[in-house]
Amino acid sequence: MRRLLSHVVGAVTRAALIGEGNDAFAVPPFADPSTADWPAAYREAADRAVSAWSDDAKLDAFFAVPWGKVPGRGAVTGYVQEVLVHGWDLAVATGQETELDPSLADFALDFARRALRPENRQDAPFGPVVRPSAGAGPYARLAAWLGRTVPATAG
């Protein structure tokens, strides 16, 4: 669990660095695993990312991210997808509600379907697409598209 929390905070920190014009590759995709207050660490990284991306002009500028050189909107969307699916992972692992704002998950799923085609995953850290159960919610469908096995109770 600590490694997943570290990765979420690290990913949001990288999103902030990118928006600030810094080299996100200069820091690992994980935060300090000995962090004592994960909610505070996440809030700090999220506040920094929101501030870094507050200028809409950045959405059309190009940035280097782990998946290539993309417009800012692709960078932000990729990190939104990352936070949502890892939020789903955390919710499943801790027995919490997995389906929150459906518009966010639908947005991320649309991006994932365009950016992470099933036939182009050989170099991506995602498993094959998994078929979610009938009636699965948008977060469960996003998780399944990214290769997670969706428990019958999730979504």
Side-chain angles (χ1 to χ4, degrees):
M1 183 79 63
R2 185 173 295 277
R3 185 150 173 87
L4 180 55
L5 291 167
S6 171
H7 180 57
V8 171
V9 172
V12 176
T13 300
R14 273 190 163 185
L17 288 167
I18 292 166
E20 293 167 349
N22 296 311
D23 179 8
F25 298 100
V27 299
F30 294 90
D32 179 356
S34 66
T35 297
D37 188 349
W38 288 109
Y42 179 82
R43 278 191 300 279
E44 180 180 329
D47 289 347
R48 184 175 172 189
V50 167
S51 177
W53 289 99
S54 64
D55 179 358
D56 286 349
K58 290 181 179 180
L59 297 177
D60 294 319
F62 278 77
F63 295 87
V65 295
W67 52 95
K69 191 162 186 168
V70 299
R73 66 186 73 252
V76 170
T77 303
Y79 281 106
V80 166
Q81 170 194 291
E82 179 128 3
V83 169
L84 292 180
V85 78
H86 287 316
W88 181 88
D89 293 334
L90 285 167
V92 168
T94 59
Q96 296 182 57
E97 177 59 46
T98 58
E99 296 294 325
L100 302 172
D101 182 343
S103 64
L104 288 173
D106 286 336
F107 172 77
L109 180 57
D110 180 60
F111 173 80
R113 285 180 172 153
R114 288 182 283 119
L116 297 166
R117 310 281 309 153
E119 64 274 12
N120 297 332
R121 291 181 179 222
Q122 60 275 11
D123 296 324
F126 303 100
V129 173
V130 173
R131 180 187 299 271
S133 62
Y139 284 83
R141 291 193 307 272
L142 174 62
W145 186 263
L146 297 176
R148 277 116 169 118
T149 300
V150 178
T153 58

